[in-house]
Amino acid sequence: MMNDIENRTDIILLVDRFYNHVEENQEIGPIFTEIAQVNWVHHLPKMYDFWESILFGKAIYKGNPMLTHFSLNQKIPLQEAEFSIWKAIFIQTVDELFAGENAETIKQKAQSIADLMHFKINSPKTDLNII
């Protein structure tokens, strides 16, 4: 029987395994390694903080992922396919490591975050003065 995600150590295991899978993926791996040229030593601790904040409500994450993704979208369009692959890898990684309420919650939150990010990046710009 698999354990649920219970603490930061579990978050670190999840994030590390997830990004290993991402790097291996032929479709989105190059976005991270070649286009964004992610510095994993810098990026991974931010992701530990991000997911710990999201799942456990700890206000430890400092950053703006939307700005980062808007910037990346200028280099390569981030479309539905890329977000779908990201979500599938995330869910697969959670399922291979954990089972339980927190595992289900983090999968739901990851899907919601990815869907919102996709929407914000790809929605037509609205003139806020007419709303």
Side-chain angles (χ1 to χ4, degrees):
M1 181 170 168
M2 290 193 288
N3 293 326
D4 202 356
I5 303 169
E6 298 175 358
N7 52 44
R8 185 173 179 90
T9 301
D10 293 339
I11 295 287
I12 291 170
L13 174 62
L14 171 62
V15 169
D16 286 350
R17 181 80 55 91
F18 168 69
Y19 281 109
N20 285 337
H21 289 319
V22 165
E23 282 187 282
E24 294 168 355
N25 184 276
Q26 292 182 10
E27 286 81 22
I28 67 170
I31 295 171
F32 287 82
T33 59
E34 296 169 22
I35 297 166
Q37 297 179 345
V38 172
N39 175 336
W40 296 108
V41 172
H42 180 70
H43 184 67
L44 291 174
K46 283 186 171 187
M47 293 299 91
Y48 307 151
D49 289 350
F50 178 80
W51 288 110
E52 191 172 7
S53 295
I54 294 295
L55 187 59
F56 299 123
K58 295 185 177 181
I60 57 176
Y61 175 73
K62 306 289 186 247
N64 187 333
M66 281 308 307
L67 288 179
T68 302
H69 289 84
F70 276 121
S71 177
L72 182 57
N73 190 60
Q74 298 301 311
K75 296 177 184 177
I76 182 170
L78 300 174
Q79 300 295 320
E80 179 65 33
E82 289 79 20
F83 284 97
S84 292
I85 293 167
W86 185 96
K87 290 187 291 188
I89 295 170
F90 194 91
I91 290 167
Q92 169 198 341
T93 306
V94 173
D95 288 344
E96 77 184 45
L97 296 172
F98 301 103
E101 185 178 333
N102 286 337
E104 292 305 312
T105 297
I106 204 168
K107 291 188 298 186
Q108 183 276 322
K109 288 185 180 285
Q111 290 181 72
S112 295
I113 290 165
D115 290 345
L116 179 62
M117 211 170 269
H118 173 262
F119 174 78
K120 286 186 173 187
I121 288 172
N122 291 292
S123 67
K125 306 303 178 237
T126 304
D127 184 352
L128 296 177
N129 294 324
I130 62 171
I131 294 179

